[in-house]
Amino acid sequence: MKLLLIILSVLMLSLLPAQPNVTPADIVFKNGNLYTANDRAPKAQAVAVKADRIVYVGTNAGAQEYVGQNTRVVDLHGNTALPGFADAHQHLSGVGFREMTLNLEGTTSLEELLAKLKARVDQAKPGEWVTGRGWIETHWQPPVFPTRWDLDKVSPNNPVILGRADGHGAVANSAAFKIAGIDKSTPSPFGGEISKDKQSGEPNGMLLDAAQGLVRRKVPPTTREDAERAVVLGVKRDIELGWTQIQDAGGSYEDIDIFKKLYASGAIKLRIYKAVYGPGPNANRLISEGPIVGEFQNRLTVRTIKVVSDGALGSRGAALLAPYSDAPDTSGFLTVKAEELRPMLIEALRKGIQVETHAIGDKANRFILDEYETALKAVPASERKVADPRWRVEHAQIVNPTDIPRFAKLGIIPSMQPSHAIGDLFFAPSRLGLDRLKGAYAWESFIKSGVVVPGGSDAPVERGEPMIEFYAAVARKDPKGFSTTGWHPEEAVTRAQALKMFTMWPAYAAFEEKLRGSIEVGKLADLTILSADIMTIPELEILKTRCVMTVINGEVVFEGT
Ligand SMILES: [Zn+2]
C-alpha cells in the first residue's frame, strides 16, 4: 500500500506541468548556448524569467519545470545568448542626431565629403544652416583636415559646420565664419583653438574643442521635438545592435526630462545610466537634489557628473606631458580649471555623487588622478555618503606607465573604448612616437594591475556597434585583420575578459553588479542573443555576427529576421 502511494505520487508529480513549489515563469528561453559571465557556472542551456527577474539558469530539462500554461517558450535554436550587453560610454542623442543630419561616417576622401555636402546643400533653402558629423581624415590621401575654402567650393552661400567624428574638432565654411564674426584677429577661447593658415594667418576653417562654440552657438537651436526624435532613433539603433544598457556620458537635466517622458509613454525601453556635465549648473543640481536611482523599472539612473579634462588625439587637443611627435610646437591643452573642479569634487564625495572624467592624453590623466587623489584624501570614507565612490576616468587612453598602478591604488575605474585603438593606431605612432605607445590603450596592463575595465563605444565618435568593440578588444587589429609596429598585441584581452568588459564590468562601474551584468538567479533578465558564438569563432567572423534578439527586463524588445 505504502509503495503504491509512493508510485502514485511520483506518477502524479511527473504528470504535472510544473512542480507544486515552482511558480511558472512568464518566459523561458531554451536550447541556447549561454555564456553567463558568472564564474561559478559559466555555461547553461536555458533560462526562466518571472516578471523582470531571472528565476532559473541551467539545463533545458530544469527550465521545463518552469513552463506553465501561460508561459511563453522561446527556442533559441542553439544561438549564443550572453548577459545583456552594456555600452559603458555612449552619447545617445548624438547617435540619434547622426541619423538625422548629414552623416559623414565612412567618408573615404575629401572629394567624397564635398560630394555628400553638395547633395545636401542643393536641397537646402537659401541661407539655411547645413550641419553634419562623422568625417575623419586619417585615411584620406593626403590625411589633412579640410578647410573652409574646400567647403566654399560647394557651399558659397549656405553656412556649414561639419564635426569630425571625435567631436573635438569641426570644419566650417566662410559663410559660417562671417556669421560668427571670426576673422584673423579673433583670439582662441580657453580650451580651444581657431586654426590659422601658416602663411596668411587667416583662419582656415578648423575649430578645435571649445572654439567650435563660436560657430555652433549661431546655428539655430534644435527643437525639443528634434531632441526627442533623436533619443527615440538612438534607442532604436542601440537595441537592434544588442545593447540593453547605455551609459550616457554627459548631458543635462533637459535630457533627463526627455527620457522620463519617453519612458512614461513606453516609447523607449533601453536602460540609461546618465551623467550630467560639470562643473556648472547641471552638476550643482545633481549635488543638491541627489541621485535618481532605478526609476522606470530600473531603467533610469542619474548619479554621475561628467567632466572633460582635455581634447582628442586626432585633432591634437589631447593634453600631453611632452610635445606631439609630429607637431613639436604643441602638446595639447587642458579644458578644465583645477580651481573650478576642486570644490565640486569635494561636494560630490560628501553627497555620494560619482564623477567620471574624459582624459585622453598622459598629462590629462595625471592631472585628473592628482585631483581625484587630493579630493579622496580631503574627504575620508567616514565623511562620504558612498564609501567607495567608484570614480571613473573615461578613455584613459594615453597613460604614463608609472600612472597605471595608481588607478587600482585609488579605486579609480578606467572606462575604455576598444575601437578607439584600432582607429587611432594608424596615426597614434606619428602623433606620439613609439615610446609613448607603451601606455596607450593598455587594456591588459590595466586589468593585470587589479582594476575592472568597462568597455564602451563612444558612439557617435565611433560607430557604436558591440561586435566592432568586442572584435577590437580581442583582436587589436583593424577590421581587415591588419596590425603593425607599435600596436602592442599583448594589450589585447581574452574573450572571457572582453565578455566582462561589456557585461559585468559596466555593471560594477554603475553600482549595479548585484542587479545585472551576468545571467544569474535574482538578477534582471537582460539578454543579448547573437547569430554566432563570439567566444569561439575566428576573430574576423565576430564582425559578421548579428544580434538576433534583445531582451530587457524579460521582455523581447528586438527580434531580427
Ligand atoms: Zn565620449
Side-chain angles (χ1 to χ4, degrees):
M1 187 61 191
K2 211 174 171 187
L3 186 68
L4 191 67
L5 264 176
I6 291 168
I7 291 170
L8 255 175
S9 60
V10 167
L11 258 177
M12 277 173 69
L13 269 179
S14 64
L15 287 173
L16 283 170
Q19 283 184 8
N21 58 344
V22 168
T23 315
D26 294 323
I27 185 163
V28 164
F29 299 88
K30 63 170 195 182
N31 294 329
N33 172 33
L34 271 67
Y35 292 89
T36 65
N38 169 11
D39 294 336
R40 290 180 302 277
K43 292 286 318 255
Q45 288 178 310
V47 54
V49 178
K50 178 78 184 164
D52 59 354
R53 302 283 168 156
I54 295 168
V55 292
Y56 173 82
V57 184
T59 61
N60 286 330
Q64 191 59 36
E65 315 233 321
Y66 291 81
V67 177
Q69 271 183 338
N70 300 314
T71 305
R72 180 181 169 192
V73 178
V74 176
D75 189 336
L76 296 175
H77 301 290
N79 278 325
T80 294
L82 307 169
F85 263 40
D87 185 341
H89 186 120
Q90 192 187 95
H91 303 276
L92 178 60
S93 64
V95 171
F97 275 117
R98 182 171 65 184
E99 310 280 306
M100 286 160 66
T101 58
L102 183 56
N103 186 349
L104 297 167
E105 264 182 289
T107 303
T108 56
S109 65
L110 175 62
E111 291 68 37
E112 191 187 338
L113 179 144
L114 294 178
K116 284 178 180 170
L117 175 61
K118 184 174 187 307
R120 181 59 71 105
V121 170
D122 287 347
Q123 292 168 12
K125 297 182 207 94
E128 190 187 342
W129 279 85
V130 174
T131 62
R133 178 171 185 165
W135 61 270
I136 190 149
E137 81 298 342
T138 45
H139 291 111
W140 298 355
Q141 285 306 331
V144 293
F145 291 149
T147 67
R148 68 183 163 104
W149 302 292
D150 293 325
L151 305 189
D152 291 349
K153 282 185 232 161
V154 294
S155 187
N157 301 316
N158 289 78
V160 176
I161 181 161
L162 305 174
R164 195 174 188 271
D166 66 11
H168 291 277
V171 61
N173 68 347
S174 298
F177 269 56
K178 200 169 161 211
I179 291 168
I182 304 172
D183 61 25
K184 225 171 162 169
S185 62
T186 311
S188 292
F190 172 76
E193 191 185 312
I194 302 168
S195 292
K196 304 266 167 72
D197 183 76
K198 284 221 164 68
Q199 261 112 52
S200 66
E202 284 286 336
N204 62 20
M206 274 303 294
L207 300 164
L208 303 183
D209 290 292
Q212 297 176 71
L214 299 173
V215 168
R216 292 208 185 275
R217 68 177 72 106
K218 300 291 175 183
V219 179
T222 49
T223 62
R224 165 92 181 206
E225 287 69 39
D226 293 336
E228 283 180 17
R229 200 169 141 235
V231 171
V232 171
L233 286 174
V235 165
K236 179 172 182 289
R237 185 185 139 103
D238 280 334
I239 61 172
E240 288 175 4
L241 288 165
W243 298 119
T244 60
Q245 181 194 57
I246 64 107
Q247 302 188 355
D248 200 16
S252 67
Y253 272 84
E254 281 165 39
D255 304 341
I256 296 165
D257 289 342
I258 289 173
F259 296 162
K260 285 182 172 173
K261 180 186 165 189
L262 294 173
Y263 280 130
S265 70
I268 58 170
K269 303 256 168 95
L270 181 72
R271 293 187 206 283
I272 303 174
Y273 184 79
K274 173 75 174 169
V276 296
Y277 283 119
N282 284 290
N284 295 344
R285 183 167 165 190
L286 179 58
I287 287 170
S288 72
E289 289 182 9
I292 297 166
V293 177
E295 285 193 7
F296 304 98
Q297 293 176 288
N298 289 304
R299 285 187 167 95
L300 178 65
T301 289
V302 186
R303 63 185 302 167
T304 311
I305 293 168
K306 166 79 180 290
V307 177
V308 178
S309 74
D310 70 345
L313 187 64
S315 48
R316 295 194 192 85
L320 299 179
L321 293 165
Y324 280 85
S325 301
D326 60 354
D329 54 331
T330 177
S331 42
F333 41 84
L334 293 174
T335 54
V336 66
K337 291 177 179 150
E339 60 271 27
E340 284 171 19
L341 192 59
R342 281 175 189 162
M344 188 192 81
L345 294 181
I346 301 280
E347 276 305 289
L349 275 178
R350 293 213 170 102
K351 300 284 171 56
I353 302 296
Q354 188 181 41
V355 177
E356 58 176 37
T357 302
H358 163 116
I360 302 259
D362 49 10
K363 181 178 174 184
N365 276 280
R366 183 169 293 171
F367 163 81
I368 200 63
L369 285 170
D370 290 347
E371 293 300 326
Y372 280 1
E373 185 168 13
T374 306
L376 290 165
K377 275 192 186 136
V379 186
S382 59
E383 290 171 29
R384 300 175 199 157
K385 192 157 184 196
V386 177
D388 175 12
R390 301 190 192 181
W391 284 2
R392 306 164 42 153
V393 174
E394 301 301 305
H395 313 308
Q397 216 169 76
I398 300 134
V399 181
N400 188 290
T402 60
D403 286 329
I404 288 180
R406 296 179 66 196
F407 285 76
K409 209 171 134 232
L410 296 169
I412 305 299
I413 301 167
S415 160
M416 302 174 80
Q417 300 74 38
S419 61
H420 283 334
I422 65 169
D424 292 7
L425 279 168
F426 283 96
F427 60 83
S430 63
R431 292 272 195 285
L432 299 169
L434 286 179
D435 210 39
R436 270 189 289 204
L437 290 179
K438 279 183 202 130
Y441 319 91
W443 315 313
E444 189 64 30
S445 294
F446 269 116
I447 294 168
K448 284 202 182 111
S449 81
V451 291
V452 300
V453 178
S457 76
D458 205 9
V461 173
E462 301 284 349
R463 300 179 77 110
E465 298 182 20
M467 291 306 104
I468 294 178
E469 298 303 331
F470 194 92
Y471 166 81
V474 299
R476 206 175 167 94
K477 293 172 189 150
D478 90 344
K480 294 196 176 90
F482 171 84
S483 156
T484 186
T485 330
W487 283 44
H488 288 274
E490 74 280 6
E491 294 291 352
V493 304
T494 67
R495 301 211 189 189
Q497 288 168 336
L499 180 62
K500 291 195 175 168
M501 284 178 86
F502 295 98
T503 58
M504 270 313 283
W505 293 346
Y508 178 84
F511 300 88
E512 290 175 345
E513 72 276 14
K514 293 200 175 82
L515 203 58
R516 46 188 313 283
S518 60
I519 304 175
E520 275 182 81
V521 170
K523 285 197 171 178
L524 292 170
D526 291 2
L527 301 171
T528 299
I529 295 146
L530 301 174
S531 61
D533 184 350
I534 58 168
M535 302 302 281
T536 58
I537 55 176
E539 279 172 359
L540 282 169
E541 284 178 28
I542 296 169
L543 292 170
K544 295 184 203 143
T545 302
R546 290 172 296 105
C547 171
V548 295
M549 191 183 285
T550 308
V551 178
I552 297 174
N553 273 351
E555 180 187 354
V556 177
V557 294
F558 166 73
E559 208 168 347
T561 45

